[in-house]
Amino acid sequence: MGVLLAKANHAFTDCFEIAETLRAMANDTEEQVQVEKNEESYLIQLAGRTTPKGLHCLSIRLTTEYLFLQPEERQFPNQHKLQDLDFYHYAVFSDEIMACAVVVNSTTASAKEPEKIVFHVVTDSLNLPAISMWFLLNPPGKATIDVQSIENFEWLSTEYSSALKEQKSNDPRYASALSHLRFYLADIFPALDKIVLFDHDVVVQRDLTGLWSVNLNGKVHAAVETCHESEASFHSMHFFMNILDQFSAKRLNASVCTWAFELHLICVSKAYFPGVLLQGLKRPLWKTESLPLGWIIFYNQTVALEKSWHAFGLGHNSGLSQGDIEHAAVIHYDGIMKPWLEIGIAEYKGYWSKHVQYDHPYLQECNIHE
């Protein structure tokens, strides 16, 4: 034993220095890994907010064609149906051409009576020509469609617009007026009774006629609830709300279930709360997103839909059950990994891409492929 110890001491005379060196190397490696993780996260966020070259090309191509049309050629057919209460009215507020196309295509393809569907698309003035041209060239079968620009809503409060610009959000999606229009449905559609509002990153897989027979029991809003942390799109009010503000503390129970806004049925005549909107934009009642505002506005005014109506998480969770996805009436690509982006989750892209006309000449010209 003595001989072995002597040999060891002779062979490893600098054990302490070696240990310190290895410890320093380990720390450096951990720091480098964290730096690379931060860079990866930044690049994913950047990719999620950047328009792909092909979609930018498509927008320019469609806009150019639209500008050559005569005023009468820019009109959509069946405009008399836009305020007819005998039809099923759906709305989507978006500045993404292909996203709007997939929402409309998947809804009409899944419908038993597409001739009873009226789609209301609202975008901004920059994207109005391109989105309008797309649907003029590719009408939604027997369904009716209309495209409007948010800039044409003269009633939209200038006070609201200035307050919205003052919001400090790193994500332009949450500072967009389009994302807040859901709280002005009574102004946008004053003649309608009910409307189903979609986010632009959903795909409809089943006929939605049954949604219109949901009994609201005098409430304003029907949506799928998210109550458990194990759910893909769980959000806690504690995380988003300023529970120290007196308005929030007195009015809200921050531990109640929240709900998903990507698919919801709204009683239009009762959905008007501009006072709460302006108050929240001026005071720190919530953080950045429009989700918390919706939770305030529809607090105690929501009827819970069955879970089978809506599956979410396809834009950020790669571990979802295939059965849950395929049995849902509507699936939602919530998160940064949208299906029209390269960073979209590959195993979920097929549900979206099957509603895209990849053989369309304009998509071919702009090198947009599946």
Side-chain angles (χ1 to χ4, degrees):
M1 181 61 72
V3 172
L4 289 174
L5 289 173
K7 289 182 177 180
N9 286 332
H10 179 73
F12 303 103
T13 54
D14 298 324
C15 285
F16 178 78
E17 292 183 7
I18 293 174
E20 287 296 310
T21 300
L22 291 174
R23 189 175 294 111
M25 291 173 62
N27 290 337
D28 289 343
T29 302
E30 289 178 0
E31 290 178 1
Q32 183 62 33
V33 168
Q34 188 58 50
V35 168
E36 291 181 359
K37 284 183 177 179
N38 292 340
E39 289 179 353
E40 179 187 25
S41 177
Y42 171 77
L43 291 174
I44 289 176
Q45 294 291 326
L46 181 63
R49 301 175 195 175
T50 303
T51 301
K53 183 178 179 179
L55 294 181
H56 183 65
C57 164
L58 178 64
S59 178
I60 294 175
R61 185 75 169 83
L62 291 167
T63 298
T64 303
E65 290 292 323
Y66 183 82
L67 295 178
F68 279 105
L69 296 179
Q70 296 299 318
E72 61 273 14
E73 295 176 311
R74 300 178 181 182
Q75 301 302 312
F76 290 97
N78 300 319
Q79 293 295 285
H80 63 281
K81 297 181 180 179
L82 297 181
Q83 299 180 359
D84 195 326
L85 300 183
D86 292 330
F87 292 85
Y88 302 127
H89 293 266
Y90 298 90
V92 58
F93 305 149
S94 173
D95 55 4
E96 293 283 352
I97 302 169
M98 296 314 301
C100 287
V102 168
V103 173
V104 173
N105 291 347
S106 63
T107 303
T108 55
S110 304
K112 295 178 180 178
E113 298 177 299
E115 67 277 6
K116 290 187 176 182
I117 290 178
V118 178
F119 247 103
H120 304 265
V121 178
V122 180
T123 185
D124 53 32
S125 58
L126 179 65
N127 293 282
L128 177 72
I131 292 178
S132 296
M133 193 67 211
W134 176 263
F135 287 113
L136 287 169
L137 293 172
N138 307 280
K142 298 179 180 180
T144 298
I145 193 166
D146 183 52
V147 182
Q148 300 183 72
S149 169
I150 189 174
E151 282 78 10
N152 291 337
F153 298 154
E154 296 179 358
W155 47 262
L156 193 61
S157 169
T158 55
E159 184 180 5
Y160 160 76
S161 298
S162 60
L164 184 61
K165 291 176 182 178
E166 292 174 5
Q167 285 196 105
K168 295 180 180 179
S169 173
N170 294 323
D171 195 330
R173 293 174 301 169
Y174 303 137
S176 168
L178 287 173
S179 67
H180 289 79
L181 278 186
R182 68 186 72 193
F183 309 120
Y184 281 85
L185 294 177
D187 286 311
I188 304 172
F189 310 112
L192 299 183
D193 179 30
K194 293 180 181 178
I195 195 164
V196 170
L197 181 60
F198 292 122
D199 271 9
H200 69 181
D201 49 359
V202 304
V203 174
V204 177
Q205 302 187 123
R206 206 168 70 217
D207 178 67
L208 300 180
T209 304
L211 195 59
W212 296 90
S213 61
V214 172
N215 188 352
L216 292 178
N217 295 316
K219 296 188 175 182
V220 178
H221 173 249
V224 174
E225 291 184 334
T226 56
C227 302
H228 307 289
E229 292 187 24
S230 59
E231 294 176 303
S233 292
F234 171 78
H235 296 291
S236 171
M237 277 200 182
H238 284 100
F239 182 76
F240 289 94
M241 304 300 302
N242 179 10
I243 58 177
L244 298 179
D245 185 90
Q246 290 186 356
F247 178 89
S248 300
K250 291 179 180 179
R251 182 171 175 175
L252 304 174
N253 175 5
S255 63
V256 300
C257 292
T258 56
W259 50 86
F261 276 108
E262 299 80 24
L263 161 71
H264 52 149
L265 173 69
I266 299 177
C267 181
V268 176
S269 59
K270 298 180 181 180
Y272 186 67
F273 307 92
V276 176
L277 175 59
L278 291 174
Q279 185 178 27
L281 290 173
K282 293 177 180 179
R283 298 168 58 189
L285 299 182
W286 61 80
K287 302 176 183 177
T288 63
E289 301 185 41
S290 62
L291 275 176
L293 171 59
W295 296 336
I296 293 178
I297 286 179
F298 297 116
Y299 185 76
N300 283 337
Q301 292 295 325
T302 299
V303 172
L305 295 176
E306 293 182 5
K307 298 288 186 183
S308 60
W309 278 109
H310 187 186
F312 15 67
L314 282 77
H316 66 88
N317 187 345
S318 59
L320 299 177
S321 163
Q322 183 177 359
D324 290 343
I325 295 174
E326 294 182 351
H327 286 92
V330 176
I331 56 175
H332 181 218
Y333 293 83
D334 53 318
I336 202 73
M337 300 178 185
K338 304 302 183 188
W340 56 86
L341 301 176
E342 289 188 12
I343 61 172
I345 300 175
E347 54 263 41
Y348 302 150
K349 283 190 174 184
Y351 300 108
W352 187 85
S353 61
K354 69 180 181 181
H355 296 287
V356 178
Q357 301 168 252
Y358 286 107
D359 58 346
H360 193 284
Y362 287 4
L363 270 64
Q364 294 286 319
E365 290 175 18
C366 292
N367 200 29
I368 299 175
H369 303 290
E370 189 171 358

